[in-house]
Amino acid sequence: MMDVHESRKFKPQCFLYFLEDYQDVEDGFSPVAGEISFRITSHSSESITEVYLKSLANQVKSEFGRGSGFVWKKGKTNIAYTDKDNGLQLRILCRSMAEGERVVKAALSLTNTAFESDRLSEVNNANPTSAYPTVPGTVRILGKSRKRPRKRPIADVRFQYALLHIHGLPNPICLLDRTGTFRNPLIDA
């Protein structure tokens, strides 16, 4: 029987954070954010090393931190890529299947996992136009007309930073930070 500490939920988890450029944010709305996460199944909290962390940080920089940063074209199409043995259960909101595949392949490059097209699927809503309207309308709150929150907004989000959560550590390790938010990222952007 597998020890509970060997299960996937205790494996190190990498988070990639994205944010819409402020000059592109529509008036009255907050910037659109994005997040991609995956488990590192080849390591445990005990076996992970500084050398591996620096290697991962350099891979993140190479794939997502080059130039002005990786841009993910978010949209209403929901793409799923599942490979639990390799720590992947990705859900990518994008504008097309091709864009979803591009983002998935970029994430896979960090896990040294080969892309398998049969693991990629599109998850559709029966009526996406009414479920995810582009212009959500308004609602009256405290006597004022206010915009309803957007569901699955269309926006370009740019890579900001990557964090690694290791079970047993109280704070995540910042692998790479393009924003200057975190002190002492593992490598410089």
Side-chain angles (χ1 to χ4, degrees):
M1 187 163 120
M2 180 187 274
D3 184 348
V4 72
H5 294 288
E6 291 176 354
S7 73
R8 195 173 17 256
K9 77 177 193 174
F10 291 106
K11 295 289 186 179
Q13 189 170 17
C14 185
F15 289 85
L16 307 172
Y17 294 95
F18 300 79
L19 191 65
E20 183 179 15
D21 292 340
Y22 286 106
Q23 67 269 19
D24 296 337
V25 177
E26 290 185 45
D27 288 339
F29 289 106
S30 298
V32 175
E35 177 184 298
I36 298 173
S37 72
F38 56 88
R39 297 278 179 182
I40 300 170
T41 56
S42 59
H43 291 282
S44 67
S45 299
E46 294 82 20
S47 70
I48 202 160
T49 65
E50 285 280 334
V51 171
Y52 175 79
L53 293 180
K54 286 195 177 187
S55 172
L56 178 59
N58 281 313
Q59 284 178 288
V60 169
K61 182 176 183 176
S62 174
E63 190 65 47
F64 291 93
R66 288 179 297 184
S68 60
F70 184 95
V71 174
W72 163 14
K73 296 181 179 303
K74 285 190 78 175
K76 298 183 185 311
T77 302
N78 188 359
I79 301 298
Y81 188 90
T82 304
D83 182 357
K84 289 185 179 180
D85 291 339
N86 287 307
L88 300 159
Q89 199 166 1
L90 304 174
R91 296 276 188 213
I92 307 293
L93 292 174
C94 51
R95 295 185 199 152
S96 68
M97 180 65 107
E99 174 64 6
E101 185 175 322
R102 182 183 77 89
V103 175
V104 165
K105 285 179 176 177
L108 289 178
S109 74
L110 303 180
T111 65
N112 298 318
T113 304
F115 175 77
E116 296 177 42
S117 60
D118 60 328
R119 295 183 181 277
L120 186 71
S121 61
E122 186 174 339
V123 182
N124 292 312
N125 184 289
N127 191 351
T129 305
S130 64
Y132 316 113
T134 302
V135 180
T138 59
V139 64
R140 198 150 191 79
I141 301 174
L142 298 174
K144 292 184 181 178
S145 181
R146 303 184 193 257
K147 292 182 180 180
R148 290 183 186 271
R150 296 181 289 179
K151 295 179 184 175
R152 297 189 181 182
I154 297 170
D156 291 352
V157 293
R158 188 177 307 280
F159 173 73
Q160 302 296 306
Y161 56 89
L163 301 177
L164 185 73
H165 292 262
I166 299 176
H167 182 72
L169 289 182
N171 298 313
I173 295 168
C174 181
L175 299 174
L176 179 70
D177 176 20
R178 296 182 65 254
T179 66
T181 302
F182 297 90
R183 285 189 300 168
N184 304 319
L186 206 54
I187 64 168
D188 293 326

